[in-house]
Amino acid sequence: STLELVERSPEQFEVVALTASVNAAALADAARRTRATLAVIADESRVPGLEAALQGTDCKSAAGSDALVEAAVNDADLVMAAIVGCAGLRSTMAAVEAGKTVALANKESLVTAGELMTEAARKSGATLLPVDSEHNAIFQSLAGSRIDQVSKVILTASGGPFRTSTIEQMQAATPAEAVAHPNWTMGAKIS
């Protein structure tokens, strides 16, 4: 979604760094399309493919978890933290500690280290912006409100594939059943 936004208005954005886990070809393609300055792949064994795919561009390449952290604290106005699950926690925390504006596209960083992250944001002056659907809905509904006047937040959900299941049926559910969402396909890793 972020890349689509950037590509719709390329004159409004300068892409400082892009990252990916293992797909060097897709990363290089995105870097070419957005004229990124740096492309970082988490899986260090994929860097030769990334370098080959970036030949003829001015985009530098790097690999590994330290390079992900360096990309997160790079000279950018906004860091989109979208690494799936807890794998992005270290780089997200680095961006927060560096006082960046961090758009959180996953909940896992807050779920696993919310208190640490919000305290780090207070200390560094970082701004945390929730962009994932559920936590963005809470953010929007509280906008302009005083948090001390909120006693409870109830977040409803679609119910997923088990919305009509009994407890017994859920206890016997298989992984294949768990990823069979009735409204959208998020893939096995995210589900």
Side-chain angles (χ1 to χ4, degrees):
S1 296
T2 304
L3 287 174
E4 289 174 16
L5 176 68
V6 168
E7 291 180 278
R8 277 198 306 256
S9 303
E11 69 286 349
Q12 293 183 20
F13 299 96
E14 177 187 349
V15 178
V16 176
L18 290 176
T19 67
S21 179
V22 296
N23 194 333
L27 175 59
D29 182 53
R32 284 178 178 275
R33 292 191 327 264
T34 61
R35 296 179 308 281
T37 307
L38 174 66
V40 178
I41 193 141
D43 182 345
E44 294 182 34
S45 71
R46 308 291 176 115
V47 79
L50 178 60
E51 289 172 345
L54 288 173
Q55 279 188 332
T57 72
D58 292 329
C59 185
K60 292 183 170 70
S61 62
S65 62
D66 288 344
L68 290 173
V69 169
E70 289 175 29
V73 299
N74 209 329
D75 186 28
D77 298 322
L78 174 79
V79 175
M80 176 62 70
I83 297 175
V84 176
C86 295
L89 182 58
R90 184 170 170 237
S91 55
T92 301
M93 277 298 292
V96 170
E97 290 168 344
K100 300 289 184 179
T101 296
V102 179
L104 291 169
N106 70 41
K107 296 173 283 300
E108 293 83 5
S109 294
L110 287 177
V111 169
T112 58
E115 191 172 334
L116 294 172
M117 189 171 291
T118 55
E119 180 58 28
R122 271 191 287 280
K123 286 181 180 175
S124 70
T127 300
L128 297 175
L129 297 173
V131 295
D132 186 59
S133 59
E134 293 90 351
H135 63 244
N136 185 268
I138 295 169
F139 176 75
Q140 288 184 48
S141 68
L142 296 175
S145 299
R146 290 185 37 193
I147 196 68
D148 62 345
Q149 294 181 340
V150 177
S151 61
K152 185 186 296 187
V153 173
I154 298 173
L155 180 63
T156 62
S158 67
F162 305 118
R163 68 190 178 287
T164 60
S165 300
T166 65
I167 300 250
E168 293 78 22
Q169 289 169 321
M170 285 190 279
Q171 287 174 332
T174 67
E177 291 171 322
V179 299
H181 196 284
N183 297 322
W184 54 80
T185 303
M186 296 187 296
K189 186 174 184 179
I190 293 173
S191 294

